[in-house]
Amino acid sequence: MKPDPSSLRPLASAQRLLVLTGAGVSAESGIPTFRGAGGLWREHKAEELATPQAFEQDPELIWEWYQWRRSICRGAEPNPAHRVIAALEGALPGFLLATQNVDGLHQRAGSTKLIALHGNIDDARCTACEHVFALPEHPPELPECPRCECLARPHILWFGESYWPGVLEASYAFAMSADAVLIVGTSGAVGPPAYLAVEAKRRGAFCVEVNPEVSALSEVVDLHLRTGAVEAMGWIAEAFGIESR
Ligand code: NAD
């Protein structure tokens, strides 16, 4: 149900807005979430494939899964929710988008003040020298590092791995002084990104969640818009008085 405009006022008057997104913002672009229906590939759960152990055991299987996911991402288009988030960046003096998504749709929608917390599906990283490089359109079954020819892996933060240096620090530095947080389409199951919202809230930020379901963050937020990202971001665009295309 569309919220009363007054309930969105603390969000719409923000000067420093942190937007935290997860797989749900891309669901209406046709990209399956991990924890929703469609999170399975063959008989495998995503949580079992997106691990360093799975890659060590069977790199071909993991690359095959990532190539399948990459083809879905490349075939998808940013939706109006991605575009409203990109427009918010230009409308506010202080803005940061911290995304857990690896699909590149925020970037394609025009977002630039963005931290891709979990990497990008179009990039690979050498398992030996750690060189990060863009994958070609049709990579081989087992991509190799262009510098040292060792086996490369997807440049994605897998379950159980540590964040890359600087990534969380920069996100937390912004969150500490944000006056509002907009959380879109995340289950809040992955600790550090969820803590960004929790910490900002603790310091007084007004928190809004967009998610058709209850999430691990629902009890923390001030306002829960219980609908899909596209509809809710349309309401939010209206509240900010920005054009949503
Ligand atoms: P998740 O799969 O754990 O949760 C998705 C959330 O989105 C759920 O809470 C669900 O209720 C909500 N949702 C579903 N449809 C929605 C809609 N139309 N509008 C708004 N919300 C909707 O995803 P997560 O929290 O991002 O965590 C999973 C991890 O998987 C992340 O680390 C991410 O890197 C990765 N992942 C990324 C993509 C992507 O890049 N698109 C896709 C799947 C998984």
Side-chain angles (χ1 to χ4, degrees), residues 76-96:
E77 292 298 328
N79 67 48
H82 296 105
R83 291 198 289 272
V84 170
I85 292 168
L88 283 173
E89 173 180 321
L92 289 169
F95 180 93
L96 181 71

PDB file of all heavy atoms in Angstrom, residues 76-96:
ATOM      1  N   ALA A  76      19.998  -9.027 -19.165  1.00  0.00           N
ATOM      2  CA  ALA A  76      19.000  -8.253 -18.399  1.00  0.00           C
ATOM      3  C   ALA A  76      19.234  -6.756 -18.601  1.00  0.00           C
ATOM      4  O   ALA A  76      20.320  -6.331 -18.976  1.00  0.00           O
ATOM      5  CB  ALA A  76      19.128  -8.603 -16.921  1.00  0.00           C
ATOM      6  N   GLU A  77      18.205  -5.982 -18.312  1.00  0.00           N
ATOM      7  CA  GLU A  77      18.302  -4.516 -18.418  1.00  0.00           C
ATOM      8  C   GLU A  77      18.035  -3.913 -17.044  1.00  0.00           C
ATOM      9  O   GLU A  77      17.215  -4.449 -16.283  1.00  0.00           O
ATOM     10  CB  GLU A  77      17.229  -3.986 -19.385  1.00  0.00           C
ATOM     11  CG  GLU A  77      17.438  -4.382 -20.834  1.00  0.00           C
ATOM     12  CD  GLU A  77      18.732  -3.837 -21.412  1.00  0.00           C
ATOM     13  OE1 GLU A  77      19.163  -2.745 -20.998  1.00  0.00           O
ATOM     14  OE2 GLU A  77      19.327  -4.530 -22.272  1.00  0.00           O
ATOM     15  N   PRO A  78      18.663  -2.770 -16.743  1.00  0.00           N
ATOM     16  CA  PRO A  78      18.322  -2.073 -15.494  1.00  0.00           C
ATOM     17  C   PRO A  78      16.828  -1.749 -15.486  1.00  0.00           C
ATOM     18  O   PRO A  78      16.252  -1.470 -16.541  1.00  0.00           O
ATOM     19  CB  PRO A  78      19.147  -0.782 -15.563  1.00  0.00           C
ATOM     20  CG  PRO A  78      20.204  -1.019 -16.579  1.00  0.00           C
ATOM     21  CD  PRO A  78      19.687  -2.053 -17.529  1.00  0.00           C
ATOM     22  N   ASN A  79      16.218  -1.827 -14.331  1.00  0.00           N
ATOM     23  CA  ASN A  79      14.784  -1.528 -14.235  1.00  0.00           C
ATOM     24  C   ASN A  79      14.593  -0.124 -13.631  1.00  0.00           C
ATOM     25  O   ASN A  79      15.569   0.528 -13.229  1.00  0.00           O
ATOM     26  CB  ASN A  79      14.066  -2.646 -13.448  1.00  0.00           C
ATOM     27  CG  ASN A  79      14.474  -2.702 -11.992  1.00  0.00           C
ATOM     28  OD1 ASN A  79      14.504  -1.664 -11.308  1.00  0.00           O
ATOM     29  ND2 ASN A  79      14.803  -3.896 -11.495  1.00  0.00           N
ATOM     30  N   PRO A  80      13.351   0.350 -13.541  1.00  0.00           N
ATOM     31  CA  PRO A  80      13.150   1.723 -13.032  1.00  0.00           C
ATOM     32  C   PRO A  80      13.704   1.930 -11.617  1.00  0.00           C
ATOM     33  O   PRO A  80      14.091   3.051 -11.273  1.00  0.00           O
ATOM     34  CB  PRO A  80      11.624   1.880 -13.064  1.00  0.00           C
ATOM     35  CG  PRO A  80      11.181   0.952 -14.160  1.00  0.00           C
ATOM     36  CD  PRO A  80      12.103  -0.227 -14.076  1.00  0.00           C
ATOM     37  N   ALA A  81      13.775   0.878 -10.800  1.00  0.00           N
ATOM     38  CA  ALA A  81      14.338   1.047  -9.445  1.00  0.00           C
ATOM     39  C   ALA A  81      15.823   1.406  -9.529  1.00  0.00           C
ATOM     40  O   ALA A  81      16.305   2.303  -8.826  1.00  0.00           O
ATOM     41  CB  ALA A  81      14.137  -0.228  -8.629  1.00  0.00           C
ATOM     42  N   HIS A  82      16.570   0.722 -10.402  1.00  0.00           N
ATOM     43  CA  HIS A  82      17.990   1.076 -10.594  1.00  0.00           C
ATOM     44  C   HIS A  82      18.094   2.529 -11.069  1.00  0.00           C
ATOM     45  O   HIS A  82      18.985   3.272 -10.645  1.00  0.00           O
ATOM     46  CB  HIS A  82      18.642   0.194 -11.669  1.00  0.00           C
ATOM     47  CG  HIS A  82      18.719  -1.262 -11.343  1.00  0.00           C
ATOM     48  ND1 HIS A  82      17.900  -2.203 -11.922  1.00  0.00           N
ATOM     49  CD2 HIS A  82      19.537  -1.962 -10.507  1.00  0.00           C
ATOM     50  CE1 HIS A  82      18.211  -3.411 -11.467  1.00  0.00           C
ATOM     51  NE2 HIS A  82      19.192  -3.291 -10.600  1.00  0.00           N
ATOM     52  N   ARG A  83      17.177   2.928 -11.955  1.00  0.00           N
ATOM     53  CA  ARG A  83      17.284   4.281 -12.530  1.00  0.00           C
ATOM     54  C   ARG A  83      16.943   5.353 -11.497  1.00  0.00           C
ATOM     55  O   ARG A  83      17.563   6.417 -11.483  1.00  0.00           O
ATOM     56  CB  ARG A  83      16.405   4.389 -13.782  1.00  0.00           C
ATOM     57  CG  ARG A  83      16.967   3.547 -14.934  1.00  0.00           C
ATOM     58  CD  ARG A  83      16.386   3.959 -16.266  1.00  0.00           C
ATOM     59  NE  ARG A  83      14.998   3.576 -16.397  1.00  0.00           N
ATOM     60  CZ  ARG A  83      14.570   2.406 -16.850  1.00  0.00           C
ATOM     61  NH1 ARG A  83      15.451   1.500 -17.239  1.00  0.00           N
ATOM     62  NH2 ARG A  83      13.296   2.130 -16.938  1.00  0.00           N
ATOM     63  N   VAL A  84      15.969   5.090 -10.621  1.00  0.00           N
ATOM     64  CA  VAL A  84      15.653   6.076  -9.569  1.00  0.00           C
ATOM     65  C   VAL A  84      16.863   6.214  -8.636  1.00  0.00           C
ATOM     66  O   VAL A  84      17.239   7.326  -8.249  1.00  0.00           O
ATOM     67  CB  VAL A  84      14.391   5.669  -8.766  1.00  0.00           C
ATOM     68  CG1 VAL A  84      14.222   6.565  -7.547  1.00  0.00           C
ATOM     69  CG2 VAL A  84      13.151   5.748  -9.652  1.00  0.00           C
ATOM     70  N   ILE A  85      17.501   5.110  -8.306  1.00  0.00           N
ATOM     71  CA  ILE A  85      18.672   5.167  -7.420  1.00  0.00           C
ATOM     72  C   ILE A  85      19.780   5.998  -8.087  1.00  0.00           C
ATOM     73  O   ILE A  85      20.426   6.828  -7.438  1.00  0.00           O
ATOM     74  CB  ILE A  85      19.145   3.742  -7.038  1.00  0.00           C
ATOM     75  CG1 ILE A  85      18.085   3.073  -6.149  1.00  0.00           C
ATOM     76  CG2 ILE A  85      20.509   3.774  -6.342  1.00  0.00           C
ATOM     77  CD1 ILE A  85      18.258   1.588  -5.918  1.00  0.00           C
ATOM     78  N   ALA A  86      19.963   5.825  -9.387  1.00  0.00           N
ATOM     79  CA  ALA A  86      20.966   6.622 -10.103  1.00  0.00           C
ATOM     80  C   ALA A  86      20.578   8.105 -10.089  1.00  0.00           C
ATOM     81  O   ALA A  86      21.444   8.979  -9.929  1.00  0.00           O
ATOM     82  CB  ALA A  86      21.121   6.123 -11.538  1.00  0.00           C
ATOM     83  N   ALA A  87      19.298   8.387 -10.209  1.00  0.00           N
ATOM     84  CA  ALA A  87      18.851   9.791 -10.215  1.00  0.00           C
ATOM     85  C   ALA A  87      19.009  10.423  -8.829  1.00  0.00           C
ATOM     86  O   ALA A  87      19.327  11.613  -8.720  1.00  0.00           O
ATOM     87  CB  ALA A  87      17.394   9.870 -10.671  1.00  0.00           C
ATOM     88  N   LEU A  88      18.833   9.640  -7.771  1.00  0.00           N
ATOM     89  CA  LEU A  88      18.992  10.170  -6.406  1.00  0.00           C
ATOM     90  C   LEU A  88      20.415  10.694  -6.196  1.00  0.00           C
ATOM     91  O   LEU A  88      20.631  11.682  -5.495  1.00  0.00           O
ATOM     92  CB  LEU A  88      18.695   9.077  -5.372  1.00  0.00           C
ATOM     93  CG  LEU A  88      17.223   8.742  -5.125  1.00  0.00           C
ATOM     94  CD1 LEU A  88      17.107   7.518  -4.206  1.00  0.00           C
ATOM     95  CD2 LEU A  88      16.488   9.932  -4.515  1.00  0.00           C
ATOM     96  N   GLU A  89      21.367   9.994  -6.786  1.00  0.00           N
ATOM     97  CA  GLU A  89      22.778  10.388  -6.657  1.00  0.00           C
ATOM     98  C   GLU A  89      22.980  11.844  -7.093  1.00  0.00           C
ATOM     99  O   GLU A  89      23.705  12.603  -6.436  1.00  0.00           O
ATOM    100  CB  GLU A  89      23.617   9.435  -7.518  1.00  0.00           C
ATOM    101  CG  GLU A  89      25.049   9.789  -7.639  1.00  0.00           C
ATOM    102  CD  GLU A  89      25.811   8.790  -8.522  1.00  0.00           C
ATOM    103  OE1 GLU A  89      25.560   7.565  -8.457  1.00  0.00           O
ATOM    104  OE2 GLU A  89      26.675   9.253  -9.282  1.00  0.00           O
ATOM    105  N   GLY A  90      22.311  12.246  -8.173  1.00  0.00           N
ATOM    106  CA  GLY A  90      22.470  13.609  -8.678  1.00  0.00           C
ATOM    107  C   GLY A  90      21.635  14.623  -7.910  1.00  0.00           C
ATOM    108  O   GLY A  90      21.859  15.824  -8.022  1.00  0.00           O
ATOM    109  N   ALA A  91      20.676  14.143  -7.119  1.00  0.00           N
ATOM    110  CA  ALA A  91      19.738  15.065  -6.462  1.00  0.00           C
ATOM    111  C   ALA A  91      20.169  15.441  -5.045  1.00  0.00           C
ATOM    112  O   ALA A  91      19.550  16.306  -4.430  1.00  0.00           O
ATOM    113  CB  ALA A  91      18.349  14.425  -6.427  1.00  0.00           C
ATOM    114  N   LEU A  92      21.195  14.768  -4.525  1.00  0.00           N
ATOM    115  CA  LEU A  92      21.563  14.970  -3.123  1.00  0.00           C
ATOM    116  C   LEU A  92      23.018  15.387  -2.975  1.00  0.00           C
ATOM    117  O   LEU A  92      23.883  14.896  -3.705  1.00  0.00           O
ATOM    118  CB  LEU A  92      21.369  13.652  -2.352  1.00  0.00           C
ATOM    119  CG  LEU A  92      19.922  13.234  -2.124  1.00  0.00           C
ATOM    120  CD1 LEU A  92      19.877  11.821  -1.619  1.00  0.00           C
ATOM    121  CD2 LEU A  92      19.279  14.160  -1.125  1.00  0.00           C
ATOM    122  N   PRO A  93      23.317  16.257  -2.001  1.00  0.00           N
ATOM    123  CA  PRO A  93      24.722  16.647  -1.804  1.00  0.00           C
ATOM    124  C   PRO A  93      25.602  15.489  -1.339  1.00  0.00           C
ATOM    125  O   PRO A  93      26.751  15.381  -1.733  1.00  0.00           O
ATOM    126  CB  PRO A  93      24.647  17.744  -0.725  1.00  0.00           C
ATOM    127  CG  PRO A  93      23.288  17.700  -0.139  1.00  0.00           C
ATOM    128  CD  PRO A  93      22.386  16.987  -1.110  1.00  0.00           C
ATOM    129  N   GLY A  94      25.038  14.609  -0.505  1.00  0.00           N
ATOM    130  CA  GLY A  94      25.819  13.474  -0.010  1.00  0.00           C
ATOM    131  C   GLY A  94      25.112  12.187  -0.378  1.00  0.00           C
ATOM    132  O   GLY A  94      23.929  12.004  -0.065  1.00  0.00           O
ATOM    133  N   PHE A  95      25.820  11.291  -1.055  1.00  0.00           N
ATOM    134  CA  PHE A  95      25.158  10.064  -1.525  1.00  0.00           C
ATOM    135  C   PHE A  95      26.186   8.956  -1.646  1.00  0.00           C
ATOM    136  O   PHE A  95      27.301   9.167  -2.119  1.00  0.00           O
ATOM    137  CB  PHE A  95      24.518  10.308  -2.899  1.00  0.00           C
ATOM    138  CG  PHE A  95      23.818   9.080  -3.458  1.00  0.00           C
ATOM    139  CD1 PHE A  95      22.463   8.874  -3.229  1.00  0.00           C
ATOM    140  CD2 PHE A  95      24.526   8.129  -4.178  1.00  0.00           C
ATOM    141  CE1 PHE A  95      21.827   7.739  -3.712  1.00  0.00           C
ATOM    142  CE2 PHE A  95      23.891   6.980  -4.663  1.00  0.00           C
ATOM    143  CZ  PHE A  95      22.538   6.800  -4.434  1.00  0.00           C
ATOM    144  N   LEU A  96      25.809   7.750  -1.229  1.00  0.00           N
ATOM    145  CA  LEU A  96      26.623   6.558  -1.522  1.00  0.00           C
ATOM    146  C   LEU A  96      25.700   5.371  -1.730  1.00  0.00           C
ATOM    147  O   LEU A  96      24.776   5.142  -0.945  1.00  0.00           O
ATOM    148  CB  LEU A  96      27.600   6.245  -0.381  1.00  0.00           C
ATOM    149  CG  LEU A  96      28.475   5.015  -0.658  1.00  0.00           C
ATOM    150  CD1 LEU A  96      29.511   5.292  -1.751  1.00  0.00           C
ATOM    151  CD2 LEU A  96      29.203   4.542   0.608  1.00  0.00           C
TER     152      LEU A  96
END
